[in-house]
Every structure is written in structure tokens, then in C-alpha cells.
Amino acid sequence: MTSLKQAVLATTALLFAQGGLAQANELRDTALETFDPVPATVPAQVDNPITPEKIELGKALFFDPRVSASGVFSCNSCHNLATGGDDNLETSIGHGWQKGPRNAPTALNAVFNGAQFWDGRAEDLKAQAKGPVQAGVEMANTPANVTQMLNSMPQYVEWFEASFPGEDDPVTFDNFAKAIEAFEATLITPAPFDAWLNGDDAALGEAEQAGLKLFMDKGCASCHNGVNVGGHDYYPFGLVEKPGADVLPEGDKGRFAVTETADDEYVFRAAPLRNIALTAPYFHSGKVWDLKTAVQIMAESQLGEEMTDGETDQIVAFLNSLTGKMPEIVYPVLPAETADTPRPSGDVLVEDGNKKDLSDQ
Amino acid sequence: MTSLKQAVLATTALLFAQGGLAQANELRDTALETFDPVPATVPAQVDNPITPEKIELGKALFFDPRVSASGVFSCNSCHNLATGGDDNLETSIGHGWQKGPRNAPTALNAVFNGAQFWDGRAEDLKAQAKGPVQAGVEMANTPANVTQMLNSMPQYVEWFEASFPGEDDPVTFDNFAKAIEAFEATLITPAPFDAWLNGDDAALGEAEQAGLKLFMDKGCASCHNGVNVGGHDYYPFGLVEKPGADVLPEGDKGRFAVTETADDEYVFRAAPLRNIALTAPYFHSGKVWDLKTAVQIMAESQLGEEMTDGETDQIVAFLNSLTGKMPEIVYPVLPAETADTPRPSGDVLVEDGNKKDLSDQ
């Protein structure tokens, strides 16, 4: 190859790269009007200063199955940090082998949601943390039993004292929830999409960038935006065309149960899409296992769009770029029970209000 | 104080310390004829070379709930490494909220047991690992479904290839069990008792040493000896006096089910006692929650001894010195499902042989 030819080729490549760069910059500028990268530090929480002690305590509580009445389920059972922060079940199996009503959302990056649960009924993570503990189909426990359990173990009492210094009686259900919030606030998973938003052109390939562009152009980003690519606002499922009753069961009217407003029938919080490739099955009903199918259902029901196969693939490629890097979590060593620790019970409340040991059936 | 008096006192103290030292050395010499400290390295396993790749794969499998048919239970559910390697339940709750027949033993230091399970029916950890996966009341899964699950995720296939180099088809149920054995072989918890056996006089206090002496003098160590302070040989529960049917249920004849020999009725493997303070409730029936009570029952039923309160306290002090230091375990990030991954099912086999979804009952 002559050196002239080399020079020409090099110049062409440079110009081409610059052209690509300009396009990428334009796409990035548009994207930055719609999305935000995850922050580099743990975000502050309302009325809950985050300290290393509180994070460690929250981690212990998150992994402690004694938080449930049966001693079988921890927060991590349904929000498993080994599998994308959820349990990969249609709906979770809880106390007495009962099925929960809705698909368990991921705990990863949940700190960036505008509110918690599919219907947004908890305003933040500390409010959310109190729910499953008391739900009869989940942990079936009571705040009194949880604090008795925690108070029975001197190591837990010490950890609460270190996490809530200056409080006379730090072992409370409120503080239990605050510690879990502190731990969950650390569950942030920076993804290739964040690196790209932050200026790393190589972090997204062509298909991912094309998918991102489509995601914005087609209107997906009207609901799925912000740092969590969703998780902020409420929309009817079936804005244009109601999906079948298999995907949208009639009995679950979503946010209507929270607001009792007719407009909120079948309204749900737009799902946050970070790590969506890890958290099948999809939708509040958990009836759809394939991400591509889920994208197609969304396109039809929310946008009235029939996307081509190629378009759907590109959007899935973009969604894959939201799969992030898990923080390293050292599995906790929990305090040992004492004589005062409440004994686990797998009994289930039956219709007459009595408890029944269903496990022997 | 005169310097003469000081010198006399110092000499007395020295002599006293030397006397204590001589006693400690004598106790240690006797103890070393009966017990062994845990080794400093992971012990080799028969037909299963242990490599870092295999340990990591085994850890992933140990924590993966997709090993169970329902997707709810992992090995760690009943052998929870956060709570002493067991689940702190009377007997475990498994598939369909069914109760297992016997108390879950700890996975910690299980590698040092002569055989696995309460009746020793598995000769080693790789044989043991296959049991709960297939037990209807535990994980209710099949080897074929497990290997299909593993083969459906390219990351798992890569990990098996790296762990079993040179094998044509490394993703087998046998290799699944071998990888779990490799991980479990690392679950060794050196305790104060080991430090003391290794020569650290300060590692055991007076009460612990007195308890150790009693433990040997009274005859406890006749069955509970070796590196795991038990776990090696088989003895009738109720050698001298049968405990009540609450503690020793008549329906469970122990090792008799394995050997079908009349001599083996109500015979069980002597429980390994490392970390015993963390693994209440006690005995194969899991009916006794208090360690002191468990010691008293053992003294009466196995030795025909009525121990004083003070003696029992000393033995409990010694048993507490068997609580060891957990290895640091980084919680794994598991491969994501694909379209080919078998779907979880909480269905339970009912009497007519059909499967039934009990979760909706």
C-alpha cells in the first residue's frame, strides 16, 4: 500500500468516525433530555441519613428469614440479588405456599422509582419495606413480633444502637424499615447505557443506539424515562388497546385500589426498565416470559404500533444495554437466636380465624 | 511493697501460671487423642479435584433457587450460610409447604463427617447433594430438569466447561453434585477450640476447659469426637434410657431404613457439634430449642447421668467454643434465564398422581 493511499484511507476513516460521532452526540443530547445516568454515589433519603452502620444492618435484615413468621422467607427470597433483584416467578410464593397477587419488582435501583409497588402505594423504600412483612400471603408477620425477634438478639440491638445513635429505643419497626431502605439505596447497577450517556461512545453498539432512537421516536420514552427508564408515573395498561385478560387480569384494577378514582382503573406505574433482561416474567401479572413479546404487547397496547421484527430486536438490544453491574455483596453472618427469640410458625390463618398447620396436609 | 515481697509474689504467680500451664498441656494432650483441629486448607475429595473454578460454580449452584422445581428453594434455603448453615426450623418447609421428616443439618464443616444425613445414607457430599433436589417434600425436581435448566444458560455451560475441562458433556447431574461438594468443602469454620488445640492457651477460658474435661470424663466424647466432635459413627438414641416420643418419634427408626438390621433401630449418626450454638433446634426431630436442655437429655439418655446445673453450664461453655469463624462469601450473580429455561412450577403431586396447583387453595 502506498503511503498516499494509506493517508487517504486514514482520512476517510477519520471523517466517517467524526460523522458517526456527530450522530452519536446528537442522539446523546436528545437522550439526556429524557434519561439520566445513575449517580456515582448513594442518593440521600428523606429523614434517613445513610451511614455504613445502617447499610450493614439493613443488609442483615434484608437477608434474615426470621423476619417472616415461618422463618422461611427473607426480603431476598422474592427480591433475590443473585437473580436481578427479583424471583423470576409469575407471582411470588409466600407463607403457606400462597401466591402473591402481582409479579415481584426488582429491588435493584428501586431507590430511583418515584414511588414503590406496581400501584405506587408506598411513597418510598422505607414505607415499602413494611408491606411484605405484614402481608398474609408473603411473610405473615407483625411489627410486634419482628421487634421482639430483633430485641431477643443482643447483636441486633447493638447494631440498631450504632445505626440510630442517641435514640432511647432504637429497635423499632420504623427503624427496621429505615435500615432496609439504607441498604436498598446502595443497590445501584451502572450499565453500558450509563457509560454511553456519560460520554463513552463505545459503550453502545449500532443496534443498541438504533434501539434507543426507536425507543424515543416511537414514544416508549414518553412513559419510560428518567434515571430508571420508568418507575415514575402512572398510566393505564391498554392506553390504545387493552391486552387480553391473560396479561391484564380483570380482577386487578391497579392504582384504582389506592385512589378509588375511576380514571385510575387498570392504571399502573410505568415499569422501571433497568435490568429488565434479568427480570422475566413481565408485567404485573407476570404472564409474559419473553422480552421481545413484552415489547410487542407494549407497542400495540400503549402506542397502537405494529413494530417490525427488526425494530423490536433493536429495542430489545437497547433494553439489554440497561443490564448493569451488581455491587459486590458479602453474604452476612446473622446473630444467633436466644431463648427469647420467637419460634417460627408455618401455621396459616384459615377461614374461621384460627391458625392451622397446613404443612402437614 | 518491699522488693522481696514483690519477688516472692512474682515467683508465686509464675509457679501458679506454670501449674495452670502444665494442667492445660495435660488437658490438651488428652484432647488431642480424641479430637482434631480443622485443617488449614480445603480437604481433598475422592474423585473430585477441587479447583477455584469448581468452587465458584458450586457456590452459584448452592445459591440458585432454580435448582428446585418451584424456583423457590436453593440449597441455601435450608442450609443457610447466614445462620449457622441450617434453617433454624424444627424440620424444613419445602415444596408445597410440606414439612421435611428430619431437622436440616448444617452444611458448615459437613465435609468432615464420616457420611452425610442423620442416618449416614450418603457416603459423601456429592452423594448428599443429589438427595434434596429430588425429594418431593424438598425441591421436588428431577436430574433431567436440572441439567436442562443448566444447559439453557450459556454462562452455566461455560462454567461447567471450565470446572470439568476435557469432558465432552460436562453439564451432568453428577458434575452438578461434584461442584456443590467442592464449594461445601470450603465451608470450614475454625473456632476457639481449634486455636486452643493448636497451642493458644488463651483461646479457651476456665469454664470452657472445665467443660471440655467433663465432656471427655463423662463419656460424651466417646461418640462426639474427631475433627467434627461427632459426625462419624452411629449410635442408638436412648442408649441407656429412651427419651420421650416428643424428642424421639416412634415412626422414624433412623439408620434401620438404610441397613434394615434390627440393631439399627433408632440408630443415628452422632451429631457433629461444631457451631452447635448456632443450629437450634436440636436432634433429628428438632424438638428441643435450648442447648442446655439438649445436653441434659443426652446425658440422661446416652450416659445415664444426671448432671448438675453447674456441670451442664460448663459443657455448654465448651460447646460455645466450637462456634467458628465463617469464611467470607461474596453473594453470587447468577446467569439469566433464556427462552429454553424450564419454567418454575409450584404444583404438587397429589394422590391420584396428577399435579395440582396448591398455591391457589
Side-chain angles (χ1 to χ4, degrees), chain B residues 71 93 166 175 259 270 327 342:
Chain B
I93 291 181
N175 284 347
T259 64

Side-chain angles (χ1 to χ4, degrees), chain A residues 97-118:
Chain A
W97 213 245
Q98 297 171 91
K99 262 190 193 165
R102 292 181 189 145
N103 181 261
T106 179
L108 302 178
N109 310 292
V111 65
F112 302 122
N113 291 333
Q116 303 301 328
F117 293 116
W118 281 95

Side-chain angles (χ1 to χ4, degrees), chain A residues 76 80 82 97 329 331 334 359, chain B residues 76 80 82 97 329 331 334 359:
Chain A
N76 190 68
N80 194 332
W97 213 245
I329 293 168
Y331 198 61
L334 299 174
S359 64
Chain B
N76 190 67
N80 193 332
W97 212 246
I329 293 167
Y331 198 60
L334 300 173
S359 63

Side-chain angles (χ1 to χ4, degrees), chain B residues 27-56:
Chain B
L27 184 64
R28 180 180 291 121
D29 289 344
T30 316
L32 281 169
E33 288 165 21
T34 308
F35 307 103
D36 294 296
V38 292
T41 54
V42 175
Q45 298 304 296
V46 174
D47 189 26
N48 191 17
I50 294 183
T51 62
E53 291 80 3
K54 208 184 278 179
I55 293 169
E56 276 301 300

Side-chain angles (χ1 to χ4, degrees), chain B residues 43-124:
Chain B
Q45 298 304 296
V46 174
D47 189 26
N48 191 17
I50 294 183
T51 62
E53 291 80 3
K54 208 184 278 179
I55 293 169
E56 276 301 300
L57 169 61
K59 182 175 82 170
L61 296 170
F62 189 89
F63 279 101
D64 197 328
R66 295 167 300 193
V67 168
S68 62
S70 65
V72 171
F73 303 109
S74 68
C75 304
N76 190 67
S77 298
C78 300
H79 304 287
N80 193 332
L81 303 181
T83 56
D86 77 337
D87 57 8
N88 302 131
L89 302 180
E90 203 171 282
T91 65
S92 302
I93 291 181
H95 193 84
W97 212 246
Q98 298 172 91
K99 261 189 192 165
R102 292 183 190 145
N103 181 261
T106 178
L108 302 178
N109 311 291
V111 66
F112 302 121
N113 291 333
Q116 304 299 329
F117 294 116
W118 281 95
D119 53 16
R121 68 183 182 277
E123 64 176 347
D124 54 24

Side-chain angles (χ1 to χ4, degrees), chain B residues 22 33 35-36 61 163 168 180 200 227 229 237 243 250 268 270 274 281 307 332 351:
Chain B
E33 288 165 21
F35 307 103
D36 294 296
L61 296 170
S163 301
D168 282 345
I180 290 177
D200 178 359
V227 66
V229 196
F237 190 5
E250 287 190 2
F268 295 87
R274 286 189 178 271
M307 283 196 200
E351 276 165 25

